[in-house]
Amino acid sequence: MDEFGKVTLVLIALASRRRLHIARQSTLRRWTLLTALALAPATSVLAAAECKQSTADLYESKSPAVVLITALTINPYRRDDRIQQATGSGFIIDAQGLVMTNSHVVFGAQVLTVTLDDGKVLPAKLLGADPIFDLAILQIPEPDRGKLPVLVFGNSDDVRPGDEVVAIGNPMGLDQTITTGIVSALNRILPERPRLLAWPMIQTDAAINPGNSGGPLLNRCGDVIGIASEILGNAQNIGFAIPSNLARSVVAELVEKGRLSRPWLGVDGSLIDAGVRQIFTIPLADGFLVEAIEPNSPAAVAGIMGGRLPVKVGTRSMILGGDVVVEINDIALTNVENLQRALNTIRIGTRARVKVFRQGKTFTTQFEITERPLQPGDVPESSQSFSVLQDQGNDIGKMK
């Protein structure tokens, strides 16, 4: 990771605070218009023309919108190494100075700066971050002259395995690095995520490394179809990107509210099917096996019970003895698709009708749905370090 002078960073931030505040207020007032214009997918005519560019021309036209992000953090509980600096990537999404990056790059930072393609260093303010989706929005000042270069979101639903992609970022502090590859796979669900909140990722073999986090994954038209986020640490060129459609959908809420609001059930567990029921002689039903209950959650208030007996069958681990949620809002939880459909019906401030199987009997109860608070597991132990997670012998790591 690159090291920069702490004093310089602080002086830059203090000197430009008023200018940054004015820029942020201006952006918030115009956000409705910006959502319709700056974040709209590229037109087919423009995309068709840009798709004919060579890789070198694509880099020349798109790299100016990619930035280097430097985060300064202070840990007051340490005697040594209290101050740490880390670098990551990001990209400008509108000409008024909004920058998208990963949450783990900027979450908890004391001072943030953004280095533009021309080398200019600007103070940045964190407008909003979501550690679960690992997305964040920064604000930088508008330039006195000219306009900031902007990248456009493409449609990640149109991406197919085998499509050529380009990654631009700052791996290992090597600014404005371009790598190429293909989309290796779609709909990858990564471990160590809250399972009811996990989102399918794009897998790519375009080389990405620590420092690429938050940088764009572009299609051959130059549209952003993903945001580089994680890597498989003990492999070569297996990286993961957040789909652009998810990223685009959360920008307005992150800017306006500073966070994403989610309905909260407060349960964790596993789906039960006929195959699992055949293994055990204890009473089970098809549905969502509740293994753990989050304290003070709607599920806890409603009296839902978690498991007590840890078991492992092959590579699958679970905790038995808890309730099985059979239906949510009259949708039977018989598969992953139905589970997602049921969760989509849940809204903050409403009551969810839940059918529960417990010890051979079923009963129906209701949950008062509240907003999900930030949980300890949502945030990496050190948001400014390269953290590696274990998954069946493989390392999956957040990248800086």
Side-chain angles (χ1 to χ4, degrees):
M1 298 181 181
D2 288 346
E3 296 293 332
F4 295 87
K6 297 187 291 293
V7 175
T8 302
L9 288 173
V10 174
L11 288 177
I12 291 174
L14 292 175
S16 304
R17 182 179 297 168
R18 176 175 175 80
R19 183 183 175 194
L20 180 58
H21 175 74
I22 295 173
R24 178 176 183 269
Q25 294 301 317
S26 175
T27 297
L28 290 174
R29 288 194 300 269
R30 289 173 289 183
W31 180 246
T32 302
L33 179 60
L34 292 175
T35 303
L37 298 178
L39 301 183
T43 63
S44 57
V45 175
L46 178 61
E50 292 189 340
C51 287
K52 297 179 181 179
Q53 295 182 107
S54 66
T55 301
D57 288 339
L58 188 150
Y59 173 79
E60 185 176 355
S61 62
K62 302 304 177 182
S63 63
V66 180
V67 301
L68 171 70
I69 297 173
T70 304
L72 173 67
T73 61
I74 300 176
N75 188 334
Y77 304 104
R78 286 184 179 179
R79 175 175 299 178
D80 300 320
D81 299 324
R82 295 174 59 249
I83 300 174
Q84 297 182 356
Q85 290 182 350
T87 58
S89 302
F91 57 98
I92 304 169
I93 61 174
D94 73 71
Q96 281 68 40
L98 293 189
V99 175
M100 173 161 279
T101 185
N102 284 150
S103 173
H104 76 261
V105 173
V106 297
F107 198 88
Q110 179 71 18
V111 178
L112 292 167
T113 59
V114 166
T115 303
L116 302 182
D117 179 57
D118 61 6
K120 182 180 296 183
V121 180
L122 300 173
K125 182 176 181 61
L126 178 62
L127 296 185
D130 184 69
I132 295 175
F133 286 161
D134 197 18
L135 292 168
I137 299 295
L138 305 180
Q139 173 76 66
I140 60 175
E142 296 180 51
D144 294 328
R145 297 179 181 177
K147 292 184 178 180
L148 292 170
V150 172
L151 290 184
V152 176
F153 287 109
N155 186 357
S156 55
D157 288 343
D158 290 341
V159 174
R160 301 180 302 167
D163 283 349
E164 295 181 358
V165 290
V166 169
I168 304 176
N170 309 288
M172 312 304 292
L174 301 172
D175 61 313
Q176 298 298 62
T177 295
I178 182 172
T179 55
T180 63
I182 62 170
V183 173
S184 303
L186 301 173
N187 301 321
R188 294 299 198 201
I189 301 294
L190 304 186
E192 305 300 331
R193 297 285 182 88
R195 276 179 281 184
L196 296 184
L197 301 173
W199 194 269
M201 305 276 276
I202 298 171
Q203 180 184 331
T204 179
D205 70 347
I208 52 180
N209 291 278
N212 275 109
S213 276
L217 188 69
L218 307 171
N219 60 20
R220 293 300 303 182
C221 301
D223 304 329
V224 178
I225 53 90
I227 295 86
S229 179
E230 302 191 29
I231 57 175
L232 200 60
N234 65 344
Q236 292 185 0
N237 296 347
I238 298 181
F240 302 95
I242 302 162
S244 60
N245 285 1
L246 170 61
R248 179 170 51 202
S249 71
V250 304
V251 173
E253 189 171 358
L254 288 179
V255 170
E256 293 167 2
K257 298 174 60 177
R259 70 185 195 282
L260 299 184
S261 300
R262 293 181 173 86
W264 192 28
L265 286 177
V267 300
D268 189 20
S270 305
L271 278 175
I272 296 296
D273 55 24
V276 174
R277 285 193 287 107
Q278 290 174 0
I279 297 175
F280 302 101
T281 58
I282 60 177
L284 283 173
D286 287 352
F288 187 82
L289 174 66
V290 178
E291 297 172 303
I293 300 292
E294 294 174 350
N296 303 316
S297 67
V301 173
I304 300 301
M305 297 174 55
R308 299 175 298 279
L309 177 64
V311 299
K312 186 172 184 178
V313 180
T315 60
R316 183 172 181 178
S317 299
M318 61 182 65
I319 303 177
L320 298 180
D323 292 337
V324 178
V325 178
V326 179
E327 294 181 1
I328 297 178
N329 290 337
D330 300 321
I331 300 176
L333 308 186
T334 54
N335 51 51
V336 175
E337 291 74 19
N338 279 3
L339 174 61
Q340 190 59 58
R341 276 205 309 127
L343 295 176
N344 289 342
T345 67
I346 297 173
R347 299 288 184 271
I348 297 172
T350 64
R351 298 171 67 90
R353 179 181 173 87
V354 179
K355 181 181 287 187
V356 179
F357 177 87
R358 177 185 294 173
Q359 298 179 353
K361 299 180 181 180
T362 60
F363 64 92
T364 300
T365 185
Q366 292 190 353
F367 289 179
E368 294 282 353
I369 303 302
T370 59
E371 181 178 344
R372 183 183 188 274
L374 195 65
Q375 300 292 317
D378 295 342
V379 184
E381 292 183 8
S382 174
S383 63
Q384 297 301 322
S385 65
F386 178 65
S387 58
V388 177
L389 309 178
Q390 300 295 323
D391 174 40
Q392 300 178 4
N394 293 328
D395 295 338
I396 292 185
K398 297 281 188 184
M399 304 176 302
K400 284 293 179 168

